[in-house]
Amino acid sequence: VQLQASGGGLVQPGGSLRLSCAPPGRIFRIDDTAWYRQVPGKQRELVAQITRDGSTNYVDSVKGRFTISRDNVENTVYLQMNSLKPEDTAVYYCNADVMDLRVGLTRSGAWGQGTQVTVSS
């Protein structure tokens, strides 16, 4: 199962973007989810997490600027990024536990394809 991540782009410092992460179809349900980011030459960094019941956690560098949320009706997880800084530039990936509703089995740690976020003037 590959998650579908979208919403990246080019934005000026101080701007905002909203990333989305969803499974490929309504037969899958997205559960506990995390957003990671990676820049060339560095390890992938955990940015934010959200459980199915809405509990959240953030890396210190994004606290107060980023908000992770979910819409369980739309079966989508979002990452609202405000007050963006050049150092937020990275490829952002979502990672989630995904339940196949047809058989009631959960696939842990499914990844999305990555979406580029560039913060530059």
Side-chain angles (χ1 to χ4, degrees):
V1 176
Q2 183 170 43
L3 298 168
Q4 297 171 339
S6 62
L10 172 63
V11 65
Q12 292 186 341
S16 298
L17 286 172
R18 189 177 78 159
L19 307 183
S20 300
C21 177
R26 302 293 281 185
I27 60 174
F28 299 105
R29 189 186 75 193
I30 189 168
D31 288 339
D32 294 355
T33 305
W35 284 97
Y36 290 79
R37 63 187 179 187
Q38 189 170 27
V39 298
K42 291 190 175 182
Q43 287 190 327
R44 199 167 289 189
E45 173 190 36
L46 176 64
V47 175
Q49 299 170 289
I50 188 167
T51 62
R52 176 149 182 88
D53 65 3
S55 297
T56 59
N57 186 46
Y58 300 89
V59 68
D60 285 347
S61 60
V62 308
K63 286 181 179 177
R65 301 188 297 122
F66 290 12
T67 302
I68 190 170
S69 63
R70 65 186 308 131
D71 185 330
N72 289 337
V73 173
E74 293 297 321
N75 204 27
T76 301
V77 171
Y78 303 97
L79 184 68
Q80 177 68 44
M81 306 185 295
N82 298 328
S83 302
L84 281 161
K85 303 176 181 180
E87 51 263 44
D88 295 317
T89 295
V91 178
Y92 284 71
Y93 299 88
C94 59
N95 177 276
D97 295 340
V98 178
M99 175 177 279
D100 186 330
L101 296 173
R102 297 169 296 181
V103 295
L105 294 177
T106 296
R107 159 81 183 273
S108 296
W111 287 97
Q113 80 279 16
T115 184
Q116 176 71 46
V117 171
T118 303
V119 185
S120 175
S121 55

